[in-house]
Amino acid sequence: MGFLDFLTGNQPPLIKDALDDIKVMLDTGRNLFAASSGRLLENEILDEDLSAQEAVICKREHSVRRAVLEHLNIDPKRELVLCMKLLTVAQEAERIGRMGRVMESAALLATHPRIGATVDEIRELRNQTLAQFDVARDCFLEGDIEKAEAVQDEQKKIAEILRGIFDLLASSDLPANRAVVCTIGACSIGRVGEHLASIARCVTEPLHRVRERGDV
């Protein structure tokens, strides 16, 4: 039985539990990313407990690791590659949560409202990245190659635009505080996109190539 067959077929209870945990991690990461980037880029009031959301992600990551370990203790030769990819996705999802907290910290550094053309560009990339969360989640849970490729293609486009924004910020005459805050925000968006692309590569690539970034 192959990787995609296993995802869409009958799975052992422990693996089903791990997949449920992955879903919760990515859904929570999406909410955390939306809230923290909204505070940073749209000057929204942050009325959510991001620390609690990050704690949910960490707890679920531990649950995935425990389920995989128990499964391998029962049958160490069955679906080893899938188990390793589950651990990889859990790690990527945990890092997404961490980057959301970085964006929260950047918002706290800001001394002025975030406005202007550069912020508008970064905000648009945030919106595009946010739209990829559900696709990345579904492509892994469903073993959908087309959705996985779509996530990777979109991330390459976003990364290319981000490189131009970094060049612009490096040569701009923005006040130091605003330049630093925008740079942290843009970098965080790029890193979140990289983690989503790595999740998608768990569907399309062998295990040893999952973390290869290529042109991203």
Side-chain angles (χ1 to χ4, degrees), residues 2 11 62 155 182 213:
Q11 300 136 354
H62 296 161
Q155 178 51 29
C182 286
R213 291 175 55 189

Side-chain angles (χ1 to χ4, degrees), residues 4 14 55 69 82 122 156 185 207-208:
L4 299 184
L14 288 168
L69 180 59
L82 173 61
I122 298 173
K156 288 179 181 179
L207 181 62
H208 68 282

Side-chain angles (χ1 to χ4, degrees), residues 32 36-37 39-40 46 50 54 98-111 114 177 180-181 184-185 188:
L32 198 160
S36 61
S37 60
R39 177 71 183 92
L40 176 63
L46 187 59
L50 301 191
E54 186 180 31
R98 189 179 304 173
M99 294 314 302
R101 297 303 303 277
V102 169
M103 297 187 81
E104 177 192 21
S105 298
L108 293 174
L109 289 175
T111 57
R114 276 69 69 203
N177 179 268
V180 167
V181 169
I184 294 175
S188 299

Side-chain angles (χ1 to χ4, degrees), residues 60-132:
R60 293 287 183 153
E61 183 192 18
H62 296 161
S63 181
V64 171
R65 294 183 181 280
R66 183 168 56 251
V68 167
L69 180 59
E70 291 178 5
H71 170 74
L72 293 176
N73 280 335
I74 295 170
D75 191 351
K77 295 183 179 180
R78 185 182 181 191
E79 302 302 337
L80 180 59
V81 172
L82 173 61
C83 288
M84 295 302 99
K85 288 189 174 183
L86 282 168
L87 295 178
T88 298
V89 172
Q91 185 177 43
E92 300 294 341
E94 186 275 334
R95 290 174 176 174
I96 287 172
R98 189 179 304 173
M99 294 314 302
R101 297 303 303 277
V102 169
M103 297 187 81
E104 177 192 21
S105 298
L108 293 174
L109 289 175
T111 57
H112 296 85
R114 276 69 69 203
I115 56 175
T118 301
V119 174
D120 290 343
E121 287 189 68
I122 298 173
R123 186 184 298 120
E124 177 59 28
L125 296 180
R126 184 282 306 269
N127 292 341
Q128 294 176 31
T129 301
L130 185 60
Q132 294 302 301

Side-chain angles (χ1 to χ4, degrees), residues 1-211:
M1 180 179 290
F3 174 62
L4 299 184
D5 293 331
F6 190 76
L7 282 176
T8 56
N10 293 323
Q11 300 136 354
L14 288 168
I15 297 300
K16 287 184 178 180
D17 290 345
L19 290 169
D20 287 342
D21 287 328
I22 292 293
K23 181 182 185 301
V24 172
M25 290 181 73
L26 289 173
D27 287 346
T28 306
R30 179 194 59 211
N31 294 339
L32 198 160
F33 178 75
S36 61
S37 60
R39 177 71 183 92
L40 176 63
L41 298 172
E42 297 177 350
N43 306 285
E44 294 178 351
I45 296 174
L46 187 59
D47 56 2
E48 298 188 39
D49 187 346
L50 301 191
S51 178
Q53 293 186 23
E54 186 180 31
V56 168
I57 293 173
C58 292
K59 182 178 179 180
R60 293 287 183 153
E61 183 192 18
H62 296 161
S63 181
V64 171
R65 294 183 181 280
R66 183 168 56 251
V68 167
L69 180 59
E70 291 178 5
H71 170 74
L72 293 176
N73 280 335
I74 295 170
D75 191 351
K77 295 183 179 180
R78 185 182 181 191
E79 302 302 337
L80 180 59
V81 172
L82 173 61
C83 288
M84 295 302 99
K85 288 189 174 183
L86 282 168
L87 295 178
T88 298
V89 172
Q91 185 177 43
E92 300 294 341
E94 186 275 334
R95 290 174 176 174
I96 287 172
R98 189 179 304 173
M99 294 314 302
R101 297 303 303 277
V102 169
M103 297 187 81
E104 177 192 21
S105 298
L108 293 174
L109 289 175
T111 57
H112 296 85
R114 276 69 69 203
I115 56 175
T118 301
V119 174
D120 290 343
E121 287 189 68
I122 298 173
R123 186 184 298 120
E124 177 59 28
L125 296 180
R126 184 282 306 269
N127 292 341
Q128 294 176 31
T129 301
L130 185 60
Q132 294 302 301
F133 270 84
D134 288 353
V135 187
R137 177 201 64 205
D138 292 346
C139 81
F140 182 74
L141 296 180
E142 299 168 4
D144 191 315
I145 292 177
E146 289 187 4
K147 289 181 180 179
E149 291 176 341
V151 172
Q152 295 172 65
D153 290 344
E154 182 69 10
Q155 178 51 29
K156 288 179 181 179
K157 296 174 185 176
I158 292 173
E160 181 62 30
I161 298 172
L162 277 171
R163 282 191 281 271
I165 290 177
F166 290 137
D167 290 341
L168 180 64
L169 287 169
S171 60
S172 73
D173 57 358
L174 288 173
N177 179 268
R178 193 170 302 173
V180 167
V181 169
C182 286
T183 300
I184 294 175
C187 185
S188 299
I189 291 168
R191 292 299 301 275
V192 168
E194 289 172 14
H195 296 315
L196 292 174
S198 290
I199 292 170
R201 281 193 290 274
C202 283
V203 177
T204 61
E205 304 295 334
L207 181 62
H208 68 282
R209 294 187 60 186
V210 166
R211 295 299 303 278

